[in-house]
Amino acid sequence: MSLELYNTRSRKKEPFTPLDPEQVRVYVCGPTVYDFAHIGNARPVIVFDLLYRLLRHIYGETHVKYVRNITDVDDKINARAAHEGISIGEVTERTTKQFHDDIAALGALPPGIEPRATEHIPQMRALIDKLVANGHAYAAEDHVLFHVPSMAGYGKLSGRSVDEMQAGARVEVAPYKKDPMDFVLWKPSSEGEPAWDSPAGIAVPGRPGWHIECSAMSAEHLGKTFDIHGGGIDLVFPHHENEIAQSTCAHGTQFMAQVWMHNGYLQVEGEKMSKSLGNFITIHDLLQDWPGEAVRLAMLTTHYRQPFNWTEAGVREAKRTLDHWYELTDGVETGCMLCADVLQALEDDLNTPKALAAVHELRREAANGEKAAAARLKACGQFLGLLSKTTEEWSAWRPASVKVDAQRVEQLIDARAAARIARNFAEADRIRDELVAMGIAIKDGPEGTTWEVAR
C-alpha cells in the first residue's frame, strides 16, 4: 500500500507523491516560547513526529527534511518579560529549553532544522518588499498590511465565507486599513520592544507580524513550494490561510505546500481546556505524574484528525499497557522487520488506532510465548516512539509527586513473603494493606514479588 494522507486543502485523502522523492520536505508550526507548553501543544508534536518517522522509513532517513520553527518574537513574549522584569532573551531561552526537555520525554525526535524567527528578519523584510512591489501589500501609518482582496483565492483552505473569516480572525478595526480583512505583515515597535529596520521604506523601527514569520522561514529552508505543511486545526484560519496568501502572492506560485495536515482539537475530561475551568495542564506538570511514553501512547489511541479527549483513565490504561509490553519484551532483541499490518495502518493517513490493534495482536501472541512476536512487538513499539527504555529503567520510574522509601517497601515485601511461608496469612494481608496505604501496588509472580507506585 502506498502512503495516503488527508489533505485539508482538497478535503479528501490522497496518495502522497513528493515533489522530489530525493528530498521530502515538511514544515510544522512550532511553539511561541513565552510559557510552558500545554498538552494541546503536545498533540501536534507527537502526530508529526510519527509522520516524520514514517516518511524516513519509506524514503530513507537522509531523504526527509523536517523543519519546525520557534517563534521567539511575539507580543506574549514581550508581556511575559515585562511581567517578570527580565529580558526577552531570558524568557525565550528558558522556555525553549523547557519545551525541548518536555517533548524529548514524549519521545519526539528533534527536527532536522529548527529556525528561529529572530534569525530570519532579513528574509521577512525581503518577502514584505516583494508583496508591496507586486501590489499585494501596502504601507500605512508605519504598518505594512497584506491586502486580502488582491488575492482571488483567499479563503479556500478554510472554506469560510468573508463574514466567517472576519469573525474568526477577530480583525482589528483600524482606519488605515483598505479592507477590514487586511492583516499585518509588519508593525512599529514601542520603546523596550524588539525592533529592526522596517521594510517598505518605513523610517520607524518595527517587528514582524506572526504570519509572515512562517512564510519566510519555510521558503528559506524548504523552497517556495514544498510537500507537507502541518499544525493544529486551530491554525487553519487565519494563520495558515494567511501563510498561503503571503507565499503564493510573493513567489507567484500556485500553491505553498501541496498537502496540508491538521490534527484535531484536544479536550480535558470532556471539556475545553482553559485556565478559568482549572483544567489547564502543561506537559511539564503532566510529566511529573506520568512517564512520557504513557502520554504519547494515550494520544496515539485516537486518530490524529479526530478530537482527542484527555482523561486520567486513558493515561492510566496506557501506562498499564506499556507495563505489559515492557514485561513481554524484556531482554528481547528486535533485529526483525516491522509488522506489515502496523505499517499499512500508518500508511493509511496515520491510522494509529488500527496500528495499535495490530500491536495488541502481537502482544497476545507474545504473551503466548511466541518469541518472534515479542521481537516484532518491540520493533513496532519503538517505531511508534515507545519501548525506548530498558525494562529496568521503565520499572524504576516513579511519579515526582510520590515519595517512596524503596528500602522500607523491600523490607515489607520480604516480611510478607516470610509470613506467607509461615502460613501466617493474616500478617501477610496486613502487610499488603500497609503497602496499599503507602500507594504501592504489588504483583506476585513465579520469580517473586514486584512492586510499583500505584496509579
Side-chain angles (χ1 to χ4, degrees):
M1 178 179 177
S2 60
L3 177 60
E4 290 193 340
L5 299 172
Y6 183 88
N7 191 346
T8 304
R9 188 175 65 162
S10 64
R11 291 168 181 76
K12 64 182 180 180
K13 196 160 55 176
E14 303 170 339
F16 174 70
T17 303
L19 299 171
D20 176 7
E22 292 300 308
Q23 188 180 74
V24 182
R25 291 165 291 162
V26 182
Y27 185 92
V28 174
C29 290
T32 299
V33 285
Y34 71 98
D35 202 351
F36 289 113
H38 56 71
I39 58 172
N41 303 134
R43 196 176 190 200
V45 167
I46 292 170
V47 166
F48 294 106
D49 175 71
L50 183 58
L51 176 66
Y52 182 35
R53 290 167 182 265
L54 181 61
L55 291 172
R56 296 199 328 166
H57 177 80
I58 296 171
Y59 296 98
E61 290 187 12
T62 61
H63 297 280
V64 181
K65 196 172 186 180
Y66 176 34
V67 179
R68 186 186 63 222
N69 75 291
I70 294 286
T71 295
D72 59 352
V73 52
D74 184 85
D75 290 343
K76 292 179 180 178
I77 298 172
N78 301 339
R80 176 54 57 90
H83 176 73
E84 295 188 15
I86 59 177
S87 70
I88 288 168
E90 287 179 274
V91 171
T92 59
E93 288 305 312
R94 181 188 71 204
T95 52
T96 298
K97 181 182 184 305
Q98 188 62 62
F99 174 73
H100 286 156
D101 290 346
D102 289 345
I103 65 171
L106 298 177
L109 300 172
I113 302 173
E114 191 175 52
R116 292 180 177 234
T118 53
E119 297 171 351
H120 294 75
I121 300 298
Q123 292 89 336
M124 296 175 203
R125 287 198 300 251
L127 200 59
I128 291 170
D129 282 334
K130 276 187 181 181
L131 290 167
V132 172
N134 61 22
H136 290 288
Y138 59 93
E141 295 190 19
D142 298 329
H143 290 72
V144 184
L145 298 106
F146 184 90
H147 190 42
V148 170
S150 73
M151 182 188 178
Y154 187 84
K156 285 187 176 179
L157 180 69
S158 59
R160 298 187 180 197
S161 67
V162 172
D163 288 344
E164 288 173 325
M165 286 190 290
Q166 285 181 344
R170 297 182 178 88
V171 293
E172 177 189 357
V173 177
Y176 51 78
K177 284 187 177 184
K178 292 182 179 180
D179 185 273
M181 284 296 297
D182 294 351
F183 59 87
V184 172
L185 302 174
W186 191 270
K187 54 189 172 184
S189 294
S190 301
E191 186 177 349
E193 294 178 333
W196 294 267
D197 291 340
S198 297
I202 296 172
V204 176
R207 63 192 193 280
W210 175 34
H211 312 302
I212 198 68
E213 296 175 7
C214 287
S215 285
M217 287 185 282
S218 62
E220 175 69 14
H221 297 286
L222 298 177
K224 296 176 182 178
T225 59
F226 51 93
D227 294 300
I228 301 170
H229 195 315
I233 197 169
D234 56 308
L235 298 181
V236 172
F237 186 84
H239 185 52
H240 288 167
E241 196 80 72
N242 290 352
E243 279 189 58
I244 292 172
Q246 296 161 162
S247 296
T248 57
C249 290
H251 302 310
T253 55
Q254 293 298 308
F255 63 91
M256 179 187 183
Q258 66 165 345
V259 178
W260 289 81
M261 296 179 66
H262 297 92
N263 62 269
Y265 288 111
L266 178 141
Q267 293 182 316
V268 175
E269 304 289 351
E271 295 185 305
K272 181 178 179 180
M273 184 173 66
S274 71
K275 291 181 179 178
S276 62
L277 292 175
N279 64 355
F280 188 87
I281 307 171
T282 68
I283 303 173
H284 181 70
D285 287 342
L286 196 62
L287 292 173
Q288 306 308 301
D289 294 328
W290 300 101
E293 287 189 10
V295 176
R296 184 183 181 98
L297 177 57
M299 290 199 175
L300 293 179
T301 58
T302 298
H303 190 275
Y304 80 92
R305 285 193 286 114
Q306 299 303 313
F308 175 69
N309 184 28
W310 174 265
T311 65
E312 185 166 332
V315 70
R316 183 183 295 110
E317 181 60 29
K319 170 66 166 56
R320 289 173 179 166
T321 297
L322 285 164
D323 288 342
H324 194 199
W325 290 2
Y326 268 103
E327 180 183 341
L328 292 172
T329 58
D330 184 22
V332 171
E333 297 291 333
T334 53
C336 67
M337 294 181 64
L338 295 170
C339 174
D341 290 344
V342 172
L343 278 176
Q344 287 177 2
L346 295 178
E347 288 174 348
D348 181 14
D349 193 34
L350 298 183
N351 190 335
T352 53
K354 189 175 180 180
L356 289 174
V359 176
H360 281 298
E361 178 60 23
L362 291 174
R363 175 208 57 77
R364 185 188 65 78
E365 294 172 6
N368 288 332
E370 296 186 27
K371 293 183 179 180
R376 290 196 299 273
L377 170 61
K378 190 166 188 176
C380 291
Q382 290 180 343
F383 187 76
L384 293 168
L386 308 166
L387 301 181
S388 63
K389 304 179 185 302
T390 66
T391 304
E392 291 73 20
E393 289 171 338
W394 178 257
S395 299
W397 181 87
R398 299 286 180 269
S401 58
V402 177
K403 304 300 181 183
V404 176
D405 184 342
Q407 184 176 2
R408 175 60 178 161
V409 171
E410 295 289 352
Q411 288 173 345
L412 287 170
I413 287 176
D414 289 343
R416 176 174 174 270
R420 294 177 74 189
I421 291 171
R423 305 186 64 80
N424 187 350
F425 298 116
E427 175 64 7
D429 289 345
R430 187 198 66 76
I431 294 173
R432 175 186 280 274
D433 292 343
E434 183 177 347
L435 288 164
V436 169
M438 293 168 60
I440 303 300
I442 60 175
K443 182 178 181 181
D444 296 320
E447 299 181 358
T449 301
T450 59
W451 64 276
E452 66 178 2
V453 176
R455 296 301 314 174

